[in-house]
Amino acid sequence: MALMDFIKKQFIDVIQWTEEGDGTLAWRFPMSGMEIQNGGTLVVRESQMAVFVNEGQVADVFGPGTYKLTTQTLPVLTYLKNWDKLFESPFKSDVYFFSTRQQIDQKWGTPQPITIRDKDFGAVRLRAFGNYAFRIADPKAFHTEISGTRESYPVADLEGQLRGIVLQNISNAIASSGLPFLDLAANQVMFAQALVAELAPIFAKLGLAIENFTVQNVSLPEELQKILDQKIGMGMVGNDMAKFMQYQTAQAIPKFAEGGAGGGGGSGIAGDAMGLGAGVALGQVLAQNLQQGLQTPVAPAAAAAAQAAAAPVGVKPEEVMATLEKLGELKSKGILTQEEFDAKKAELLKKLV
């Protein structure tokens, strides 16, 4: 009885791997002091692959399925051992299992801003982050390049290396895409596709395949972000510069008015000066519109209507007083001279008559 127990312990009938949890990429079947029985069973489950290694050389690779281990099912290993005939004796080999499931939600990001070269802006500093998913596509390459003879190889041991590969190739991805960085930053899907095109060959050398890659955020320097916002605004008005200037002026006037209303100190003078500048810009826009209207032939009825619209309109006394108070503040701050103030005052008082 003792002899039979000894024989059972030395020979393996079933070789399989039941994963106990997530995060393991490779696992070596325990073979210490044991040998595989000829005619034994190999069970490879879905989302797994198995590799037989003989004396440090990969002999055979098995996909999902159940296999009876004979010289027919192990042709390479049989060739290495020079087994050209059927045999009943046991044989010894290392067996590694590899998980081919997707390893999802792998984080990547730039801990510090990185500098890239862009054809439009030269050097640009940016931050970016996202996640990706990968799987083992070539267990032979993964065993040779990464996992080796280790008893098990977890995902955590590979995370840092893959994250470094992603960061190292961001600049190359933008350059090889041939697209301006602003276009990539505004389209994160396009940015992710450019990165995958750059990273896929590198991952393949390690026996890995990228299944999904996302860019969740791209943070730009403030000045570059302003340019991007302006580019978006231009697109909203059909890249019409005149319309874009009108839009910019209309957006700026309320802010200038708020600054002027604050009053007091140097900031009030600056606010009033910017308000005057905005008024000049708005006046130029209105003048251009008026000139275009004058150049367009006007029908007699339309001309009569225009003359009626141009007739003097009464001004409310409270509006005149508010304007005079504003002019008085500008005079006290030295922006208007006494002569300019008096001339504007006389003009406003005439509107009350």
Side-chain angles (χ1 to χ4, degrees), residues 66-86:
T66 301
Y67 305 89
K68 185 177 182 180
L69 301 178
T70 64
T71 55
Q72 283 75 27
T73 55
L74 290 167
V76 179
L77 185 59
T78 301
Y79 174 77
L80 293 174
K81 290 291 188 180
N82 294 319
W83 292 327
D84 54 355
K85 297 180 180 179
L86 295 177

Side-chain angles (χ1 to χ4, degrees), residues 9 21 43 72 94 118 136 151 153 156 163-164 208 217 232 243 275 294 303 329:
K9 289 181 181 179
V43 179
Q72 283 75 27
D94 291 324
D118 181 67
I136 294 179
E151 181 178 350
Y153 197 95
R163 188 182 303 115
L208 305 175
N217 180 266
I232 295 173
K243 291 183 179 179
L294 292 175
E329 293 178 3

Side-chain angles (χ1 to χ4, degrees), residues 114-242:
I114 62 173
T115 302
I116 65 170
R117 184 173 297 278
D118 181 67
K119 64 180 183 179
D120 288 346
F121 299 99
V124 176
R125 290 170 59 82
L126 65 89
R127 290 177 182 268
F129 66 84
N131 60 10
Y132 65 97
F134 72 93
R135 71 165 77 243
I136 294 179
D138 185 349
K140 180 178 179 180
F142 186 82
H143 171 78
T144 304
E145 300 292 335
I146 302 295
S147 60
T149 60
R150 289 176 54 171
E151 181 178 350
S152 66
Y153 197 95
V155 176
D157 287 2
L158 193 59
E159 287 178 347
Q161 177 68 19
L162 297 183
R163 188 182 303 115
I165 292 174
V166 173
L167 299 182
Q168 183 181 10
N169 286 273
I170 289 179
S171 180
N172 293 339
I174 295 175
S176 62
S177 69
L179 296 172
F181 175 72
L182 284 182
D183 292 341
L184 291 176
N187 189 335
Q188 294 180 354
V189 174
M190 188 185 300
F191 195 179
Q193 291 172 348
L195 281 171
V196 170
E198 190 72 21
L199 294 172
I202 302 174
F203 274 55
K205 292 180 180 179
L206 304 178
L208 305 175
I210 300 175
E211 295 295 326
N212 185 38
F213 197 98
T214 64
V215 177
Q216 297 176 345
N217 180 266
V218 178
S219 301
L220 306 175
E222 184 178 355
E223 60 275 12
L224 188 56
Q225 185 63 53
K226 290 179 180 178
I227 295 175
L228 179 59
D229 292 340
Q230 291 178 354
K231 184 178 178 69
I232 295 173
M234 285 289 293
M236 293 175 64
V237 297
N239 292 320
D240 188 322
M241 182 59 71

